[in-house]
Every structure is written in structure tokens, then in C-alpha cells.
Amino acid sequence: MAEHAEYTEITYRTADRIATVALNRPHARNGYTVRMADELADALGRADADDDVRVVVLTGEGTDFSVGADLSQGGFDFDSTEPGTQWQEPAGRVSKRVFTMNKPVIAAIRGAAIGGGITITLSADYRLAATDARFGFVFVRRGIYPEGASAWFLPKLVGLGRAMDWMISGRVFDAEEAHAAGLVQSVHEPERLLDAAYELAADLAANTAPVSVAVTRQLLYRMSNMDSPFPVHEVDSQLIASIATNPDSVEGVLSFLQKRPPEFRLRVGSDLPAFLPWKED
């Protein structure tokens, strides 16, 4: 397992085509800071640019994912921006980076996932929770506002009514309620949580085509909110027409017929279709 030591508030390691990005301030229950936000965004970008990485597991060291903003440090420095740039709140720096990923992201959450400690995971492809996980969009109980673009992501995951309940009340709720509402895909005993996340990551790495995953992930995020299906159909038509010259399509069919694991050759870094309307983002 390759581990990179240049981060101070997270850890980043790779093994078996999986990158693990972990919040690493367990003494502060992974309280969220600007440095942590920027390190997370950098690590996610590193994983996204590495064609040897197929899946990212996002988790926290210790017994909590994150209790949210570390208020003990006096809050965030709102003036520390480059001249001519607009300040970007720290949770959104990460949720936006996850949104633009070409690799699937699996969040493995145990203990507290409060405020920014849950909003940074809303753009992940999967959220797996431990039975001891506790969630809270507690902003109104602190006199502040939802961040991480959570007012956009959360209703798409659980519906507007449930999002209103959780955000307007600011109450804390358990893993069972989160699972029933669709916020998390599955619930596991704490000691089994990471194993479940890695089993899912290994399946995705072994059996899915990286370019196909990248395109499909962004199709869902970028085009599911269009006013009609017609623009989506236009992109679909270009994608399906490209199958004739797509070696991964041939390999997918052959491996299925020959009952063997696929060996997909196309890589996200070089082989994404040039006509994707969001590619320049």
C-alpha cells in the first residue's frame, strides 16, 4: 500500500486500484478546517488524475467521520482569498470536487457526521454507514446556513419533504432513519464498515469500465435535471454511435460471452469522448 505523507490533516493511500482518503484529526473528532478542506480537494484531484486509481473510499480516522466545523479555532478566515477571487466556503470546496470526479466515491461513515461532516459526502456515489453513525444538518441550531451545496444535493437524494424536515429542524438522526430515507445505501457494524466499503470498491474496480463509469456518473449528475429528455437523448445518440469504434464495448461483450473477467483498456485520462458537453468543466 502506497502512503503519501505530505498531508497534515488527512491521509491518502492507494492499493489494489483503490485510493483511501481519510480525515485525520481524531483527537478533535475530525473537526473540519480550511486546511482539511483544501487537502481533501487536493487528494481527490490526485486520485481523479491517476489512471491506476479506479475508486475512492472517503472515510475518517478514529471513531467519528466528522463533527463538522472546528469552532474551537475561532471559525474560518473569510478574507484569505487571492485578489480578484470570490471566497469559497470549505465544505463546498470538497463537495464540488467530488461532483466533478470521473471516479466513483464511496463514503464510509461511522460515529458523528454533522454539518460539513455530512454535506461533503452528499455528492459521493455511495454512502455506507455504521450502526453507530449519527447525522445532523444542524445549521439552524447554530444560527448559520446550509453549505456544501447541500440544499441542491440533499433533496435529490431523499426528496424535498425529508430534506426540509432535517434542515429546518436541525435535529440529529440515526443510521436507521438515514437508511430508510435513502441517504445511505447500507448499514454495517462498525468493525465491518470499511470491509464493506472495500468489497464494493473492489467489485467496481474489477467489473466496470472506467470510461463508461465516468460518462455515466456525469450523465446522471449533469443531465438528470434537464427540462426535457431531448438534450439527454442527443448525447446518448452520440455515445451509442461511438460504440462501433470503442474497444471496451467489444471487450465487455466478449468477456460476458466467454465467462471471464473483463480487461478494459480505455483510460479516463486520455479516452473520454471529446463531445461531452461538460468536458471543459
Side-chain angles (χ1 to χ4, degrees), residues 38 94 205:
D38 291 341
V94 176

Side-chain angles (χ1 to χ4, degrees), residues 172-208:
V172 174
F173 53 96
D174 61 16
E176 182 179 358
E177 182 174 346
H179 185 223
L183 179 62
V184 301
Q185 278 85 357
S186 56
V187 178
H188 309 268
E189 292 301 321
E191 63 274 11
R192 277 281 303 149
L193 176 65
L194 275 179
D195 288 340
Y198 286 126
E199 287 166 9
L200 173 57
D203 177 63
L204 296 177
N207 297 307
T208 65

Side-chain angles (χ1 to χ4, degrees), residues 25-179:
R25 301 183 71 233
H27 59 283
R29 301 179 70 192
N30 290 325
Y32 198 72
T33 69
V34 171
R35 177 184 290 274
M36 178 183 282
D38 291 341
E39 290 186 357
L40 284 171
D42 183 83
L44 290 163
R46 170 183 289 186
D48 210 24
D50 185 349
D51 276 335
D52 290 331
V53 169
R54 290 292 321 282
V55 186
V56 176
V57 172
L58 176 63
T59 189
E61 304 288 356
T63 57
D64 292 288
F65 184 77
S66 174
V67 294
D70 187 347
L71 301 179
S72 69
Q73 296 190 349
F76 301 133
D77 182 359
F78 300 104
D79 296 322
S80 59
T81 59
E82 294 295 326
T85 62
Q86 183 178 3
W87 188 78
Q88 300 285 306
E89 56 85 10
R93 300 179 197 185
V94 176
S95 64
K96 288 195 306 179
R97 189 62 191 86
V98 174
F99 175 87
T100 60
M101 293 283 288
N102 286 309
K103 315 289 176 70
V105 178
I106 302 167
I109 302 166
R110 67 165 303 184
I114 305 296
I118 181 60
T119 63
I120 64 170
T121 76
L122 296 182
S123 49
D125 302 73
Y126 297 89
R127 281 159 301 282
L128 277 56
T131 53
D132 65 359
R134 295 294 181 270
F135 305 89
F137 300 89
V138 298
F139 309 104
V140 297
R141 298 194 177 208
R142 306 291 182 267
I144 56 178
Y145 312 102
E147 30 74 305
S150 53
W152 191 89
F153 287 111
L154 187 61
K156 291 170 177 57
L157 294 171
V158 302
L160 183 59
R162 186 58 60 93
M164 291 287 282
D165 170 22
W166 287 346
M167 283 194 163
I168 296 302
S169 72
R171 64 184 177 83
V172 174
F173 53 96
D174 61 16
E176 182 179 358
E177 182 174 346
H179 185 223

Side-chain angles (χ1 to χ4, degrees), residues 166-249:
W166 287 346
M167 283 194 163
I168 296 302
S169 72
R171 64 184 177 83
V172 174
F173 53 96
D174 61 16
E176 182 179 358
E177 182 174 346
H179 185 223
L183 179 62
V184 301
Q185 278 85 357
S186 56
V187 178
H188 309 268
E189 292 301 321
E191 63 274 11
R192 277 281 303 149
L193 176 65
L194 275 179
D195 288 340
Y198 286 126
E199 287 166 9
L200 173 57
D203 177 63
L204 296 177
N207 297 307
T208 65
V211 169
S212 180
V213 167
V215 172
T216 301
R217 186 183 195 278
Q218 291 298 319
L219 272 174
L220 287 165
Y221 261 148
R222 306 280 186 153
M223 306 202 79
S224 61
N225 292 311
M226 302 296 285
D227 289 337
S228 85
F230 300 120
V232 189
H233 173 66
E234 294 301 320
V235 177
D236 292 347
S237 297
Q238 290 179 282
L239 288 167
I240 299 305
S242 73
I243 286 176
T245 57
N246 184 336
D248 278 0
S249 302

Side-chain angles (χ1 to χ4, degrees), residues 1 14-19 52 54 201-202 205:
M1 178 175 289
T14 57
D16 303 321
R17 299 188 290 178
I18 301 166
D52 290 331
R54 290 292 321 282

